[in-house]
Amino acid sequence: MPLSKNIDKKQKKVIWSLAKKGLGVSSDTLYALIMEMFSAERMSALTYNQAELLIKELRRKICGLGFNSLTSLQYTGIKRRAQSLGWTKEGLRKFIKAETGVDDISWLSVAQARMAITGMEKIKKWRANNPKEEQIDGIQ
């Protein structure tokens, strides 16, 4: 796929759906975001790759994630791992705080999220190797 390929109709529909239904933002707000991100006055001026970046950013905003924060895949990965470990929301919060120094998952940076995921994977592996040990809800 060449880098200069233009935005397609499907991408435009996804962008409008995410902006209007997912975030409830006005057309002006969406175009302000496009201008901020790509210095483009209209959506049709975006390349295919720029449109993909915009879609990812809109999805991050729907999840309540800000700039330079963890990706939506990292966010769902952390939640899924916590559930598989049997942790409550409070247990996950304690673990995230102990591991990264941050109180809320949605405030994690990409690097902090990677650190948390690595820690959760180590706990999962330790539990598999020590099945008779007591399992704790997050960090005590």
Side-chain angles (χ1 to χ4, degrees), residues 29 47 49 58 86 91 97 100 112 124 140:
T29 302
T47 66
N49 290 337
L58 292 171
K97 175 74 173 176
T100 66
Q112 289 169 323
K124 180 180 174 184
Q140 298 294 351

Side-chain angles (χ1 to χ4, degrees), residues 13-27 29-31 33-34 37 53-66:
K13 285 182 181 181
V14 169
I15 290 167
W16 281 115
S17 176
L18 292 171
K20 294 285 186 174
K21 294 177 185 171
L23 292 169
V25 299
S26 68
S27 300
T29 302
L30 176 60
Y31 283 112
L33 178 62
I34 291 170
M37 288 180 71
L53 286 173
L54 178 58
I55 289 167
K56 286 180 184 177
E57 184 61 24
L58 292 171
R59 287 183 174 144
R60 288 167 58 88
K61 289 184 183 302
I62 288 171
C63 290
L65 307 174

Side-chain angles (χ1 to χ4, degrees), residues 61-79:
K61 289 184 183 302
I62 288 171
C63 290
L65 307 174
F67 178 73
N68 192 32
S69 46
L70 73 165
T71 67
S72 54
L73 285 175
Q74 287 176 314
Y75 180 82
T76 55
I78 289 171
K79 297 290 259 183

Side-chain angles (χ1 to χ4, degrees), residues 51-133:
E52 287 298 307
L53 286 173
L54 178 58
I55 289 167
K56 286 180 184 177
E57 184 61 24
L58 292 171
R59 287 183 174 144
R60 288 167 58 88
K61 289 184 183 302
I62 288 171
C63 290
L65 307 174
F67 178 73
N68 192 32
S69 46
L70 73 165
T71 67
S72 54
L73 285 175
Q74 287 176 314
Y75 180 82
T76 55
I78 289 171
K79 297 290 259 183
R80 186 176 29 83
R81 284 175 178 85
Q83 185 177 22
S84 74
L85 290 168
W87 292 353
T88 62
K89 286 182 181 182
E90 181 60 20
L92 175 59
R93 190 196 63 73
K94 286 179 183 178
F95 172 79
I96 295 296
K97 175 74 173 176
E99 195 74 10
T100 66
V102 176
D103 286 302
D104 190 325
I105 298 173
S106 60
W107 297 341
L108 295 175
S109 68
V110 170
Q112 289 169 323
R114 288 181 65 210
M115 200 171 19
I117 290 169
T118 300
M120 295 172 93
E121 287 298 317
K122 287 179 181 178
I123 291 170
K124 180 180 174 184
K125 186 176 179 180
W126 182 86
R127 282 187 178 179
N129 293 329
N130 300 285
K132 294 182 181 179
E133 295 290 329

